[in-house]
């Protein structure tokens, strides 16, 4: 029987897209921009990272733990997420006009770049070798549904941050179009709606 979930992007491709989205946003950030724009860009990064970390912890990491419990990164990833959340909490309390704001963004992105490098050179290729395209697409569909649930309550805020942060940038069109495409893939049958339970392998 045909499974609509198989039309979804794979979970590994979606994780790479999330990484790219954060990096594109970070590349718009510079010390000479207005405090309002810097705050909007930082908030966009923080929202994206918080949602991304939750998706990985709820859907991706449990599956990989079941399949490859000896992989060291699996045990390092969530503590790294916790450290990112600590910096994000401090960043959210800091005005865009505060010189510390720039330092916190740089500290956060140093951690993110290290985390992304480990994930994209080891964990994602391992997942693609172990799980296979069909399972990766099923997990991608689950991730899309859960993403929409997490994004829903803050959709207006995220859209406003995006407009302010990317104002006048061609990157805004790229990120906006890619985000719309990602949202379109979330249209899966209601019976597949994410429920908080460990993902099966």
């Amino acid at each position: 029987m045909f499974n609509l979930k198989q039309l979804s992007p794979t979970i590994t491709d979606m994780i790479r897209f999330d990484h790219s989205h954060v990096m594109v946003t970070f590349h718009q950030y510079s010390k000479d921009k207005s405090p309002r724009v810097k705050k909007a860009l930082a908030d966009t990064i923080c929202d994206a990272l918080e949602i991304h970390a939750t998706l990985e912890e709820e859907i991706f990491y449990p599956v990989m733990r079941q399949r490859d419990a000896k992989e060291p990164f699996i045990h390092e990833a969530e503590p790294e997420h916790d450290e990112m959340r600590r910096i994000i909490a401090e960043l959210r309390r800091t005005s865009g006009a505060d010189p510390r704001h720039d330092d916190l963004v740089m500290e956060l992105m140093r951690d993110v770049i290290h985390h992304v490098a480990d994930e994209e050179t080891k964990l994602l290729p391992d997942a693609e070798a172990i799980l296979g395209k069909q399972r990766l697409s099923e997990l991608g569909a689950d991730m899309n549904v859960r993403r929409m649930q997490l994004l829903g309550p803050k959709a207006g805020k995220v859209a406003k941050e995006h407009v302010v942060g990317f104002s006048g940038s061609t990157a805004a069109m790229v990120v906006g179009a890619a985000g719309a495409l990602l949202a379109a893939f979330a249209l899966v049958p209601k019976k597949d709606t994410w429920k908080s339970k460990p993902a099966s392998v």
Side-chain angles (χ1 to χ4, degrees), residues 8-11 14 135-145:
S8 171
T10 65
I11 193 169
M14 292 179 63
R135 183 65 180 130
L136 291 168
S137 292
E138 290 170 353
L139 291 169
D142 289 343
M143 180 177 272
N144 261 329
V145 172

Side-chain angles (χ1 to χ4, degrees), residues 2-3 41 63 71 79 90 95 124 126 133 136 141-142 166:
F2 179 73
N3 183 352
L41 288 168
V63 171
E71 165 55 50
E90 191 172 354
S95 162
L124 300 187
D126 282 357
K133 176 74 164 61
L136 291 168
D142 289 343
F166 285 90

Side-chain angles (χ1 to χ4, degrees), residues 58 146 149 190-198:
E58 290 184 359
R146 183 61 175 140
Q149 292 174 351
K190 291 183 186 293
K191 64 185 179 65
D192 291 323
T193 299
W194 172 259
K195 296 176 183 175
S196 296
K197 61 181 180 181

Side-chain angles (χ1 to χ4, degrees), residues 93-145:
R93 294 191 297 267
T94 307
S95 162
D98 188 329
R100 288 182 61 252
H101 190 270
D102 295 336
D103 294 338
L104 287 167
V105 169
M106 297 305 155
E107 181 183 358
L108 176 62
M109 290 309 300
R110 278 194 298 271
D111 286 355
V112 168
I113 289 166
H114 169 77
H115 181 84
V116 166
D118 285 346
E119 201 162 74
E120 293 200 3
T121 58
K122 179 61 178 169
L123 190 61
L124 300 187
D126 282 357
E128 288 163 345
I130 292 169
L131 298 176
K133 176 74 164 61
Q134 180 176 334
R135 183 65 180 130
L136 291 168
S137 292
E138 290 170 353
L139 291 169
D142 289 343
M143 180 177 272
N144 261 329
V145 172

Side-chain angles (χ1 to χ4, degrees), residues 79-95:
E80 289 180 1
H81 283 177
D82 290 340
E83 174 61 14
M84 284 188 277
R85 289 184 176 107
R86 182 194 67 76
I87 300 171
I88 285 170
E90 191 172 354
L91 187 54
R92 288 197 187 281
R93 294 191 297 267
T94 307
S95 162

